[in-house]
Amino acid sequence: CGGSVSDSSGMLQSPNYPGSYPNEADCVWEIQVENNFRVTLTFRDIAMQSGTCQHDYIEVYDGPLHSSPLLGRFCSGSFPTYVSSSNMMSVRFHSDSRYSFRGFQAHYSSIPARHNTTIQCLPDYMHVVVSRRYLQSQGYSAERVTLNDNRCRPTVTSREVVFNIPYNGCGTTQEENNDTINYSNTIRVASSGYIIKRKKNINLHVSCKMLRKSWQQVMYAAEDTEEVNEYQFGKYDMNITFYDSPAFQRQVRSSPLYIDLNQNLYLQACLHSSDPNLKVFVDTCVASPDPHDFNTLAYYLVRNGCPRDSSYATYRSPSSHFARFKFNAFEFMSRHPSVYLKCQMLVCRLGDYSSHCYRGCSSRAKRDTSSAEEEVDVVVGPIQLHGVDAPSGKTG
């Protein structure tokens, strides 16, 4: 249950709804809609153990779970509606080991934020647009709009003032917390008075928050799909590529990807970011014949940085933005002709030796992570043996 949700609208509901939810459930949904939109969440049904809400409950957070304000915690009563202050909201459902009920159902949708300033968090910079109509309505001139570093000039058009603010320059600052690595800057709008002024200066604080726990999928398909299909959650841009040897000089671009039994496979994960102070680490890789289910038939190659398969190994990388590894984990492919691999990568601050990227193999608790880690997950597959056809319905 739970997971990352990125559609503009949809439905959330407790496991087995409208049947009874299971005991000892702890589900977290992370809803992230488009930039400059907000999330509105309305509950349509709630049937849980009532009272003090200490046993079974729902929590709604205004952003990532561990670093955002709690909007509400409840287990019964009227059906509330919540609106986020940004483009992200988290919903947590918890049940204990005692009674079980029908649970909940809720609908979410995205609504325009209607700001006079819009922000896009691109891989290398913040794209910030300030409306000239807004500035003029407040009595300000577009020519007096600057950053902390006034050497970084905007592009001024007839309708907008546009800044492309790098994450690693122009006075951008970095801050870390449990859920995000934040890049912030300030756009300053000065009053036009030279000797006296009657208007206050405006400081527009803009920031991009890169989520540490995010899921990304990269798909290598055996039939009728593109070689790579990737999406990102949290704006860190990551992809994984196969190589033909441990020299990592020539990529494997063929699709479908057919392999021989016991063949070594070499992979490189690459983080695309203008921030040089980041490090990538292979945390967990698990194989499955089903790209949508990595629990029922799961085979771990590495888990929490600890190798589970004797063929798994890592290689030195030329940059902290790369993570190189190999495995020969397809001895079990005789049972399943198509196999998908889901790898969780960690993005940490370079030089943060308390982070999992440096500590390596760890049996850490779920929340026992450095404040400078982001999890990015990648799915690769299907990978097939030579001469074995994929079963019907298993193409990517």
Side-chain angles (χ1 to χ4, degrees):
C1 60
S4 299
V5 181
S6 58
D7 294 334
S8 60
S9 63
M11 195 78 68
L12 304 183
Q13 57 191 30
S14 52
N16 302 330
Y17 181 90
S20 297
Y21 52 77
N23 293 328
E24 305 289 356
D26 198 49
C27 314
V28 177
W29 291 267
E30 294 177 322
I31 307 169
Q32 186 179 18
V33 296
E34 291 184 43
N35 285 320
N36 306 302
F37 280 72
R38 296 181 180 180
V39 181
T40 177
L41 178 72
T42 300
F43 285 84
R44 296 179 172 179
D45 185 22
I46 302 172
M48 301 170 62
Q49 183 177 356
S50 59
T52 60
C53 299
Q54 296 297 313
H55 305 288
D56 299 353
Y57 55 83
I58 303 166
E59 294 177 330
V60 180
Y61 291 85
D62 191 16
L65 180 67
H66 300 301
S67 59
S68 302
L70 178 65
L71 296 177
R73 175 175 173 148
F74 52 93
C75 56
S76 61
S78 60
F79 301 157
T81 295
Y82 298 97
V83 179
S84 66
S85 61
S86 68
N87 65 328
M88 186 173 183
M89 176 185 287
S90 296
V91 180
R92 181 188 181 197
F93 168 74
H94 176 81
S95 65
D96 66 2
S97 59
R98 300 178 67 188
Y99 306 109
S100 184
F101 298 85
R102 186 171 66 249
F104 79 91
Q105 185 181 72
H107 178 266
Y108 80 89
S109 60
S110 59
I111 56 175
R114 305 185 189 279
H115 289 318
N116 297 305
T117 302
T118 61
I119 304 174
Q120 285 182 285
C121 299
L122 301 176
D124 294 323
Y125 57 88
M126 290 183 275
H127 180 73
V128 183
V129 178
V130 183
S131 166
R132 288 195 69 173
R133 178 180 294 181
Y134 163 69
L135 294 174
Q136 292 165 358
S137 70
Q138 301 299 311
Y140 294 94
S141 168
E143 284 68 33
R144 300 186 64 81
V145 181
T146 64
L147 285 177
N148 280 336
D149 185 344
N150 56 21
R151 294 172 297 179
C152 298
R153 306 299 302 174
T155 299
V156 181
T157 70
S158 60
R159 303 176 66 178
E160 300 169 335
V161 180
V162 182
F163 284 94
N164 290 327
I165 308 172
Y167 297 132
N168 197 46
C170 289
T172 301
T173 61
Q174 301 175 12
E175 182 185 13
E176 305 165 4
N177 61 35
N178 286 336
D179 288 301
T180 57
I181 297 175
N182 304 335
Y183 300 92
S184 302
N185 210 311
T186 302
I187 297 174
R188 304 186 185 279
V189 186
S191 173
S192 58
Y194 289 99
I195 299 176
I196 65 171
K197 65 178 182 180
R198 300 185 185 278
K199 294 180 179 293
K200 294 181 179 180
N201 295 335
I202 297 177
N203 291 334
L204 300 173
H205 300 282
V206 294
S207 65
C208 285
K209 299 183 177 182
M210 305 303 193
L211 294 168
R212 291 198 174 124
K213 288 187 177 180
S214 62
W215 300 83
Q216 180 190 59
Q217 292 188 347
V218 177
M219 181 76 62
Y220 283 79
E223 298 179 22
D224 300 330
T225 63
E226 297 179 356
E227 182 187 20
V228 179
N229 176 23
E230 60 180 336
Y231 71 87
Q232 58 193 26
F233 175 72
K235 303 305 183 297
Y236 273 133
D237 187 6
M238 177 93 70
N239 71 343
I240 278 188
T241 308
F242 283 103
Y243 283 79
D244 66 348
S245 76
F248 291 93
Q249 293 180 346
R250 188 168 59 186
Q251 295 183 10
V252 178
R253 299 182 181 275
S254 61
S255 179
L257 176 61
Y258 289 101
I259 62 127
D260 294 317
L261 194 64
N262 298 324
Q263 176 182 332
N264 285 328
L265 295 178
Y266 304 93
L267 295 90
Q268 175 176 274
C270 178
L271 171 67
H272 302 280
S273 173
S274 62
D275 185 353
N277 298 310
L278 298 175
K279 179 178 175 62
V280 177
F281 175 75
V282 184
D283 180 77
T284 298
C285 285
V286 55
S288 169
D290 186 344
H292 308 294
D293 181 2
F294 287 88
N295 296 309
T296 304
L297 291 174
Y299 180 82
Y300 282 90
L301 304 174
V302 56
R303 191 170 191 177
N304 293 335
C306 304
R308 294 291 187 88
D309 183 273
S310 60
S311 70
Y312 176 83
T314 59
Y315 293 87
R316 292 179 62 88
S317 300
S319 165
S320 62
H321 283 197
F322 295 119
R324 292 175 168 178
F325 56 103
K326 75 98 175 176
F327 57 87
N328 180 12
F330 294 95
E331 297 173 356
F332 62 101
M333 288 188 71
S334 58
R335 295 173 52 204
H336 307 288
S338 295
V339 171
Y340 295 78
L341 185 73
K342 182 176 184 178
C343 292
Q344 183 175 82
M345 316 300 297
L346 287 184
V347 179
C348 309
R349 299 301 299 170
L350 190 64
D352 180 6
Y353 294 99
S354 66
S355 71
H356 191 42
C357 292
Y358 287 90
R359 288 186 285 119
C361 179
S362 171
S363 58
R364 74 192 193 289
K366 182 67 174 177
R367 298 181 185 175
D368 181 23
T369 59
S370 164
S371 64
E373 296 176 12
E374 174 184 347
E375 297 177 359
V376 183
D377 274 45
V378 178
V379 171
V380 181
I383 305 166
Q384 295 184 9
L385 290 173
H386 282 297
V388 180
D389 295 326
S392 175
K394 291 300 182 186
T395 57

